[in-house]
Amino acid sequence: MASATKTAERNIVIVGGGIIGSTTAYFLTRHPSFNPAKHTITILEAQSIASGASGKAGGLLALWAYPSSIVPLSYKLHAELAEEHDGATRWGYRTLHCGSLSANGKDYSAHTNINGSKQGVGAGAAEGNGEQWHKLPKTNLKGNTKNGIPNSLDWFDTDTIKSYSEMGTPSTTAQVHPYLFTTSMASLAVSSGAKVILGSVTAIDYSGPGAQSVKSVTYEDKETKEVCNIPATDIILAAGPWTSRVFPQAPIEAMRAHSVVIKADVSPYAVFSDISLPKGFTGSRGGGGGDGKGKRRRHGTSVAPEMYARPDWTVYACGEGDTLVTLPASSDLVTCDEDSCQDIIDYVSSISTPLREGEVLVKQACYLPSVAGGGGPLIGETGIRGLLMATGHTCWGIQNSCATGKLMSEFVFEGEAKSARIEGLDPRRFL
């Protein structure tokens, strides 16, 4: 159990500079017991702040997310942080509508693609139906089907729409720009006394006679390659999908997810789609390409990309996940499959003229962490004194980051979670 002594000197090391590590550092510096004269807080990040999924996620916030034990707290904290730090300006916080759209896609392979030029055929073959988790489900909530699409949701081609169901309103749904939010949380933590070190963890020392207790973290400095050691009283594992690389006992798995960002000035909606593709759909790569050497790209009969309009006049769109490429050693080695990104572009283009005609600004990939066997995230003690875990947040990491950070600050300074009942998320149930 983490020590509840408020006056003792503490060296707190957070492994991972993603959204969970950054919000944890932030809330540690805001805890009433934090004393910069006695307490050090270090974010130890292998590459850079928000270099993984935290910088490439969709940023959707929702009261209808999961798990229910921390969602209301986190949603509330997001709103409070935005009010306190001008989140609307600083990290794109705003409320918005959310719905589920069913549509019949059109094949525009005979026309210019979304970038305004014909493309050849991409390599590889994508099967249409993956495992349920690979579809990146956010919720099973369907809402009440309405007679028609809302008038303000005007960026979809009306002749493709079959039905629309409301999932969330501005009172239950919001968003942030993940990279801006994560870097802002880290910056605010640093301005209040935390520090960031760039280096890869090579060992966590919790050996010793009697009960195991953390002693230090060893890492390789990113720039100098020097092996360094940080004495620690508290170590928080918040390395997302890399948590099991740092602490092999952690039951954390990784799934790759692709996404794109398209320039489009559209109304504020988050849309979960179910698109029926026409028979023989080829997308922008066609059935052989300009040189006739490419393989025909296979598509499923139904696809489900998600689209989130952002206040910076862009739309974030993501598709299904995959486990085709194992988790690399670090976030800078993540590979982005061009075909997977182009599929997302082709799918959303099949039902939306603004997205079909918009400029593609970003194509990217990241890895999402999940708990092996389901459940999670894992938040709390590990059974080793001073070693805490905060990981396995799946696709709701941004949404649940604030609650996680606040709860971790309570574990460190008060010895237990005070703001929410999270017995079901106890890492010791899975270790």
Side-chain angles (χ1 to χ4, degrees), residues 60-240:
L60 189 65
L61 315 175
L63 276 174
W64 37 268
Y66 58 81
S68 59
S69 57
I70 59 174
V71 163
L73 171 63
S74 209
Y75 192 84
K76 176 175 177 288
L77 290 172
H78 268 290
E80 292 176 353
L81 287 176
E83 177 69 22
E84 180 179 355
H85 300 293
D86 190 19
T89 301
R90 190 163 185 173
W91 56 75
Y93 176 88
R94 71 173 177 183
T95 60
L96 75 168
H97 291 273
C98 181
S100 175
L101 179 75
S102 178
N104 290 315
K106 292 184 177 182
D107 194 343
Y108 289 92
S109 59
H111 303 274
T112 56
N113 75 346
I114 198 166
N115 290 305
S117 61
K118 289 286 286 185
Q119 289 189 359
V121 179
E127 300 297 337
N129 298 317
E131 297 177 11
Q132 191 64 25
W133 159 237
H134 289 192
K135 297 181 183 298
L136 301 184
K138 294 292 192 301
T139 179
N140 290 323
L141 180 64
K142 295 298 183 182
N144 297 317
T145 300
K146 297 191 172 184
N147 293 330
I149 193 168
N151 292 332
S152 57
L153 184 54
D154 56 2
W155 37 289
F156 291 98
D157 302 335
T158 56
D159 59 343
T160 68
I161 299 168
K162 293 191 291 186
S163 65
Y164 176 82
S165 301
E166 184 177 82
M167 294 171 59
T169 68
S171 64
T172 63
T173 313
Q175 68 181 158
V176 297
H177 189 294
Y179 178 81
L180 297 178
F181 180 59
T182 303
T183 53
S184 293
M185 287 293 99
S187 177
L188 289 166
V190 169
S191 67
S192 296
K195 63 180 177 180
V196 176
I197 293 178
L198 299 183
S200 300
V201 173
T202 58
I204 296 175
D205 182 7
Y206 52 86
S207 61
Q212 291 180 317
S213 178
V214 299
K215 293 177 177 59
S216 66
V217 177
T218 302
Y219 69 95
E220 180 184 90
D221 186 272
K222 181 183 178 183
E223 293 297 326
T224 67
K225 305 304 178 184
E226 179 183 359
V227 176
C228 308
N229 186 271
I230 306 176
T233 57
D234 306 89
I235 300 173
I236 299 169
L237 302 174

Side-chain angles (χ1 to χ4, degrees), residues 28-54:
L28 282 167
T29 64
R30 265 61 180 180
H31 194 281
S33 298
F34 174 63
N35 181 349
K38 293 185 175 182
H39 307 141
T40 65
I41 300 171
T42 303
I43 299 176
L44 184 53
E45 162 58 36
Q47 294 301 314
S48 61
I49 297 297
S51 62
S54 298

